[in-house]
Amino acid sequence: MTALKHYLQFKDFTREEYDYLFERTRWIKDKYKRYEPHHPLFDRTLVMIFEKASTRTRLSFEAGMHQLGGSAIYLNTRDSQLGRGEPVEDAAQVISRMSDLVMIRTFEQDIIERFAANSRVPVINGLTNEYHPCQILADIYTYIEHRGSIQGKTVAWVGDSNNMCNTWLQAAEVLDFHVHVSTPPGYEVEPERAGLYGTGHFQQFADPLEACKGAHLVTTDVWTSMGFEAENEERMKAFADWCVDAEMMAVAAADALFMHCLPAHRGEEVTAEVIDGPQSVVWDEAENRLHAQKALMEYVVLGRVEEK
Ligand code: CP
Ligand code: NVA
């Protein structure tokens, strides 16, 4: 039996696998735009488990699975036994006997790792406290669509060193680009995590303007991620100067893009002028969740498909 292809962190795949996935995403997207059906997952079932809220992730996985010929079932903590203390290992055994693929959005990374260890089918991370690999997959695809290869380029991350930031750091290692991170004091990338990325792909800056200098992509995210709501008030004060504005975009490369995984808070982590401005590609970025995850689902279930 071949090993299951789980996608729990960005570093689970190699650069060659990403090259394949980006090419496949383009092919799947083009076909979709021509209204040509593509049903490689006919009759397959995706189970989506949400322990946190979602608009884009639910929509893109559910619509994506239908478009690939299969069906998707939505479970949340409130209406299933998952919220009533059933061990994650037991849930994994049962859910994976009735489905072909599982996507989970949850809290600690450990939960999804334990689920995957007990699953008979591939498991995809739809966001944990630590990582959001599907989002970065779509973001890098979006960068490639607009500007070509990301290799050797610089991404400026302004704001919280959260699940998105951690995933950018992993991606920089796998795909060989640079990440400039600027966070308020006390919110820096954890030293153990930073230690993993000390090979020239990652640099921290106290001043967000410095982090943006010459960057090819400027990106940010909410000041308070899901699960950290109790810290909201103190974060609002601490992050006040970490708002991506026109001044930051002006010191970035002349053709720099702006991205945000959404949902966004205009006037907090980004000004309306930037997110609604000409350098912003946030709507393409959101749409590309659909196309990139269709390529991902096809890949983890069927492996490489060379259909042209
Ligand atoms: N970007 C993202 O994952 O959005 P949702 O929380 O709406 O799924
Ligand atoms: N960092 C955010 C991303 C939301 C898509 C969160 O975890 O809430």
Side-chain angles (χ1 to χ4, degrees):
M1 206 179 104
T2 50
L4 290 174
K5 269 192 240 308
H6 299 302
Y7 191 52
L8 308 181
Q9 306 187 25
F10 197 91
K11 68 180 173 68
D12 286 347
F13 290 169
T14 62
R15 192 198 297 202
E16 290 68 34
E17 286 176 296
Y18 283 109
D19 286 345
Y20 166 78
L21 281 172
F22 295 137
E23 184 55 32
R24 193 70 187 155
T25 299
R26 191 190 55 74
W27 187 88
I28 284 175
K29 181 172 179 176
D30 287 352
K31 205 168 164 70
Y32 174 77
K33 297 285 179 185
R34 295 194 303 267
Y35 297 100
E36 289 174 14
H38 176 56
H39 293 157
L41 300 186
F42 174 73
D43 229 9
R44 308 286 184 123
T45 304
L46 164 72
V47 172
M48 307 182 296
I49 301 171
F50 282 93
E51 299 205 274
K52 292 176 177 170
S54 169
T55 298
R56 280 144 287 267
T57 303
R58 176 177 179 182
L59 189 58
S60 52
F61 271 103
E62 190 162 340
M65 192 59 182
H66 284 293
Q67 291 165 18
L68 292 172
S71 55
I73 296 173
Y74 170 80
L75 293 180
N76 66 28
T77 318
R78 198 182 57 243
D79 304 323
S80 70
Q81 300 289 5
L82 293 163
R84 301 183 62 249
E86 181 166 16
V88 66
E89 291 79 5
D90 293 2
Q93 291 281 354
V94 174
I95 291 167
S96 67
R97 282 177 184 233
M98 299 188 197
S99 60
D100 301 284
L101 178 60
V102 177
M103 184 244 86
I104 308 181
R105 167 167 288 195
T106 188
F107 292 88
E108 289 78 27
Q109 181 72 11
D110 176 60
I111 298 172
I112 198 168
E113 303 276 351
R114 281 162 51 212
F115 192 104
N118 289 275
S119 173
R120 292 180 167 206
V121 300
V123 177
I124 294 174
N125 182 347
L127 181 146
T128 57
N129 288 352
E130 288 87 347
Y131 300 112
H132 197 2
C134 293
Q135 182 69 55
I136 303 299
L137 179 71
D139 291 6
I140 294 175
Y141 175 76
T142 307
Y143 185 86
I144 294 169
E145 240 185 2
H146 283 268
R147 296 284 183 265
S149 173
I150 198 165
Q151 187 173 13
K153 298 284 169 44
T154 299
V155 175
W157 175 267
V158 176
D160 191 16
S161 60
N162 62 12
N163 42 14
M164 284 290 296
C165 176
N166 293 338
T167 312
W168 272 116
L169 295 176
Q170 282 198 347
E173 290 285 307
V174 178
L175 300 179
D176 188 24
F177 59 90
H178 309 281
V179 185
H180 289 177
V181 176
S182 179
T183 68
Y187 295 90
E188 293 90 352
V189 177
E190 295 159 15
E192 319 80 76
R193 208 180 286 284
L196 297 174
Y197 304 111
T199 56
H201 292 105
F202 159 58
Q203 224 180 316
Q204 290 207 80
F205 293 79
D207 181 352
L209 205 60
E210 288 297 316
C212 293
K213 275 192 184 153
H216 303 95
L217 168 62
V218 178
T219 185
T220 185
D221 187 11
V222 291
W223 290 341
T224 306
S225 286
M226 292 181 281
F228 298 85
E229 290 80 1
E231 299 173 14
N232 195 41
E233 212 173 309
E234 62 190 88
R235 283 171 171 268
M236 292 289 277
K237 290 187 204 122
F239 282 78
D241 292 335
W242 276 260
C243 172
V244 177
D245 58 13
E247 196 188 350
M248 291 186 200
M249 293 308 294
V251 298
D255 67 345
L257 299 175
F258 172 79
M259 288 190 197
H260 189 310
C261 65
L262 306 176
H265 299 78
R266 288 168 178 76
E268 293 183 17
E269 72 273 10
V270 60
T271 61
E273 186 184 9
V274 169
I275 195 169
D276 300 320
Q279 287 166 286
S280 172
V281 291
V282 295
W283 311 126
D284 288 345
E285 182 188 1
E287 178 190 328
N288 283 334
R289 292 289 302 278
L290 173 71
H291 310 300
Q293 288 163 195
K294 283 167 74 177
L296 174 66
M297 288 193 281
E298 183 189 66
Y299 179 61
V300 296
V301 176
L302 301 177
R304 284 184 195 227
V305 178
E306 300 301 345
E307 187 185 350
K308 291 283 175 212

